Amino acid sequence: MKLSRALGASVFAAILMTGGCDTVWHPSIPPVAGPAEFPTGQIARGAELAAIGDCSVCHTTEGSRPYASGRGVQTPFGVVYATNITPDPETGIGTWPESAFRRAMREGVDRDGRNLYPVFPYPHFTRATDRDIAALYAFLMTRPAVHADTPPNRLPFPLNQRFVLTGWDHLYLRPGAWQPDPAHDADWNRGAYLVEAVGHCGGCHTPRNVLGAETDGQALAGGEAENWYAPPLQAASPARQGWSVDSLTAYLRTGFDAGHGAAAGPMTAVTAELATVPAADVRAMAVYLTSMMPKPAPAPVVAHAGEDPVFAGACGGCHGPDAPMMRNGAPSLAMSTAVNAPTPRGTIQAILQGLPWREGQAAPYMPPFASVLTDAQIAELAAYLRSAYSDKPAWRDLPAEVARVRGAS
Amino acid sequence: MIRLTVNGQQHEVDAEADTPLLYVLRDDLGLNGAKFGCGLGQCGACTVLVDGQPVFSCLTPVSVLAERQVRTIEGLGGNAVQRAFEDVQAAQCGYCIAGMVMRATALLEHNPHPHEDEIRAYMSGNLCRCGTHMRILEAVRQAAGQGVKP
């Protein structure tokens, strides 16, 4: 817990340096009683925005009712539980007026005036428009109310003292409305807004600093999510074949693209949600993201080394050159972003966990190999994949990385 | 020659390194309990245990098993799971049942009193095309009360 003490101390220092105690305190906003009514169109737009923002990934858990919370998000500092955002008056946000909801989205402060932890991506939501926040509010306030308490967070002192977050906010929360860039067209600006504000893609795809904030000047430069590799979405994109607007739109809406592969790990839920929103919104996001990426180039040819017996026995039935999956249009592993990435983490995770069945959906699937292969065998297999399917330099310290990823999974 | 230990017995088999464990069990060792279903790790008919964990033997290269313990349905000797599957008549055609029994055995060895959700989540890797899943689940519930030892 030395790290957390040190972090706490620096946050205290930050409070003293940047604002003093007058801003530690946020007023409570008086509760409102009874359900409000909202126009149908506003609720419908709220549903789309909630899907773009993927609220349910944290605010719904397996077995919980929608938006009734309970998911513990593992952070480097401890576990923070997502709250109940159904309109239940006692355990949810049923007594929150829209002004309180807007303050939570913009400033990371709940109705009572308590700071929220930045696992809740208010540094992104702070850019959302009044209109979109109102639509999200309308959508959430018309969900079925569920009485469900949120478990207490598991954080060490002093991070369990919410006022320390005021210091964090002074350092890292940059309030202010989204500013469109007049050098780009409406589609690009729409996409930029959805990516940066509501979609909060940087939550995973931007590297975080020692205090858990997205690193300045490194927006979308690649990060991690639940110990999975989240690739860069800008110039440093390691995609073997560049993303076009069409291919990225298709990937984001289906979780699969024939030139790149299948969404895995935490990205699976993101693509499942984006499948439900208007294609124009997803396309705008793709327009913005691809504008920062390297231009699409023809797929390179990667020479295969001799076959590895573990690959042949465990992987070849699907990923081998003549396998049925390949004849059905799945991309070669040479196209895999995970295989071409600077870190082996995505490849190791895919081998360990596979891609679980998505119940009731036609979606990519891969069996897990965590119980089949030892750490040493996975390290050798990953090294083989890298040498046979990528012209990038070999990964270093593979055995240690496999042990680390397995231990944390 | 490739070494492996199945149901406590050591074997040396003459097989290529990439040969699936399933083929070695059936063709070289005469252990025909595990079945070939899809060959792609999707159906679970070939499920056996490696160091106590269920694996798809169709996707397990035999050469990765040198120091590890393989268990097949032939090694269970009529455990509580097998008896419960018989009691509730969980099998229709029976093709998936060896795999189901092995997966259920692994579950109950590690978690003797699973919740319904845990049973369903754990068993979801194995499919039954006849549709006797409800009886299979009933058998797992019944076996859970009777104690399954490794």
Side-chain angles (χ1 to χ4, degrees), chain A residues 239-302:
Chain A
R240 210 67 189 84
Q241 175 169 271
W243 288 97
S244 65
V245 173
D246 283 345
S247 63
L248 187 55
T249 305
Y251 171 84
L252 289 173
R253 298 195 78 227
T254 64
F256 178 79
D257 173 67
H260 297 85
M267 190 64 194
T268 310
V270 175
T271 58
E273 292 272 18
L274 291 178
T276 68
V277 309
D281 281 341
V282 182
R283 193 172 177 83
M285 293 166 81
V287 166
Y288 169 64
L289 289 171
T290 55
S291 76
M292 298 184 289
M293 291 178 177
K295 291 282 161 277
V301 179
V302 176

Side-chain angles (χ1 to χ4, degrees), chain A residues 14-100:
Chain A
I15 296 173
L16 296 176
M17 284 186 304
T18 55
C21 289
D22 55 336
T23 51
V24 171
W25 185 78
H26 303 278
S28 168
I29 295 179
V32 290
E37 289 198 7
F38 303 92
T40 317
Q42 190 184 31
I43 297 170
R45 184 56 188 157
E48 292 166 3
L49 291 163
I52 292 170
D54 225 357
C55 310
S56 66
V57 164
C58 290
H59 288 282
T60 303
T61 50
E62 228 172 284
S64 90
R65 303 272 299 282
Y67 304 105
S69 88
R71 172 157 183 193
V73 180
Q74 185 76 51
T75 75
F77 314 105
V79 179
V80 179
Y81 285 88
T83 53
N84 181 347
I85 52 170
T86 72
D88 181 60
E90 281 153 24
T91 61
I93 60 169
T95 62
W96 290 35
E98 188 183 316
S99 59

